[in-house]
Amino acid sequence: MFTPSLGKLTSIKSDDFVIAVCRDRVAVDIKTENNAENKNPAFDIGNYNGKRVVALSLSQLNGGQHLREILAGESAELAHICSLASHLVWWRSVYKFCPTCKTVLKESETERSLICESCGQSFYPVIAPAIIVSVVKDKKILLAHNAKFPEGRYSLVAGFVEAAENLENAVRREVLEEVGIRIKNLRYLESENWSFPNSLMTAFTAEWESGEITPDGVEITSANWFSPAEPLPDLPPKGSVARRVIERFLD
Ligand SMILES: [Zn+2]
C-alpha cells in the first residue's frame, strides 16, 4: 500500500525504494545510496509497503521504462507512484524561484507546496486539465490523425482546457476547431492522471449533431468515421485513456 507524503527534498538511504525519473522515463527500485556525490535532487514522496519512496531526478537515465509502459502494466499502485514521482520531479525542476519576485522558493512544512518568503505566495503542483472525446455517428466513431502522431495512427479528438473555460465547453470547442463538427448529448466517462508531465485527462462521449468532417489541416491532418465492423487504423497504445475509451465504444 502506498501513502503519499509532502515530497520534500531528501538524501537517499540504502533501504529506500528509489524511482529514478528522467523526463518521461523511469527506473523503479534502483540501487543507489550516495545522492550527495552526484548532486541530483531527490524527493521523499511517500511510503510503499513499509519502505520510504524517493523520486530521484536524473538528467540522463540508461535503461528504465517509458512511463507509458508502466501505466499499461498490471499494478495501478505502481503506476500511481511513478506518475507522482514524474509529476513532482517536473514541478520541482520548474518551480525553483518565485515567478513574481525571483526569490528562491522554500518547502512548506505542512503541505505539498512551495512558499515565497519575500512576497508570501504559495505554489502548488501545477496540473493542466485536458479533454478527450469519442464522437459517435450512426454507430461509427470519429478518429483523427494528429500531425504529431506516427504514420497511420488515429485517435480521439483531444486538447487542453483554456483559461476561463469549463470542461464541456472545451470539448465542444476542440471538436469544432479540429474537425468542424458540432456535438450533442455530451456525457462524462472517466478521468486519468497523465503525468506527461502534468496533465489531468478527462474523457467524454458525445453524439454528432451537425457538420461535415473538416480537419483543421494544422493539428489534425486527416479524420474519418470508423465502424467496428471494418478494419481499424493503428490505435493509441494500451494503458492510455484514449485506447480505453475507443475500446469501450468497440465493445
Ligand atoms: Zn515572491
Side-chain angles (χ1 to χ4, degrees):
M1 187 176 140
F2 176 65
T3 312
S5 62
L6 298 184
K8 298 177 79 165
L9 266 172
T10 189
S11 295
I12 294 172
K13 300 184 190 115
S14 59
D15 56 350
D16 286 337
F17 186 84
V18 179
I19 298 174
V21 178
C22 176
R23 292 177 290 278
D24 290 346
R25 293 194 77 78
V26 294
V28 177
D29 201 14
I30 65 161
K31 293 303 159 206
T32 177
E33 289 183 29
N34 197 339
N35 181 50
E37 207 169 68
N38 56 31
K39 298 211 168 40
N40 291 307
F43 307 97
D44 177 341
I45 66 164
N47 188 289
Y48 183 47
N49 294 337
K51 277 192 162 189
R52 194 171 75 130
V53 183
V54 174
L56 173 65
S57 174
L58 296 179
S59 55
Q60 275 196 312
L61 178 59
N62 298 320
Q65 290 172 280
H66 198 282
L67 182 54
R68 277 205 183 91
E69 293 173 48
I70 292 175
L71 295 188
E74 295 290 304
S75 170
E77 196 159 51
L78 189 62
H80 174 217
I81 295 168
C82 291
S83 294
L84 179 63
S86 176
H87 192 150
L88 292 185
V89 161
W90 168 82
W91 175 59
R92 292 297 297 264
S93 74
V94 172
Y95 277 76
K96 290 178 177 168
F97 304 94
C98 173
T100 304
C101 72
K102 312 289 185 269
T103 303
V104 174
L105 296 172
K106 293 262 168 38
E107 296 175 321
S108 165
E109 293 297 325
T110 56
E111 58 180 5
R112 191 185 289 150
S113 71
L114 296 167
I115 298 165
C116 175
E117 291 182 334
S118 175
C119 72
Q121 293 187 88
S122 292
F123 299 93
Y124 297 87
V126 178
I127 300 167
I131 58 86
I132 191 163
V133 58
S134 65
V135 181
V136 177
K137 180 190 181 191
D138 301 333
K139 295 184 179 172
K140 292 182 176 181
I141 187 169
L142 176 71
L143 297 175
H145 176 75
N146 188 298
K148 291 178 187 160
F149 285 173
E151 181 79 25
R153 165 82 49 87
Y154 279 71
S155 186
L156 304 174
V157 168
F160 284 102
V161 180
E162 293 192 347
E165 189 173 54
N166 66 24
L167 296 170
E168 294 85 344
N169 285 338
V171 175
R172 294 186 189 101
R173 175 185 51 74
E174 284 287 347
V175 176
L176 188 61
E177 277 179 6
E178 292 192 354
V179 291
I181 281 174
R182 292 188 188 277
I183 55 173
K184 63 181 180 182
N185 297 335
L186 183 60
R187 277 194 305 119
Y188 170 80
L189 293 177
E190 62 174 293
S191 69
E192 183 179 55
N193 157 262
W194 195 240
S195 294
F196 299 100
N198 65 325
S199 291
L200 171 66
M201 185 62 86
T202 52
F204 293 82
T205 184
E207 292 169 28
W208 171 87
E209 184 179 64
S210 65
E212 293 293 320
I213 292 177
T214 313
D216 66 9
V218 181
E219 200 167 339
I220 301 298
T221 52
S222 163
N224 216 332
W225 300 108
F226 289 88
S227 164
E230 297 159 10
L232 289 169
D234 179 33
L235 297 175
K238 283 189 181 294
S240 64
V241 67
R243 180 63 174 259
R244 276 206 306 282
V245 172
I246 293 169
E247 285 182 347
R248 188 192 294 231
F249 165 79
L250 297 177
D251 286 345

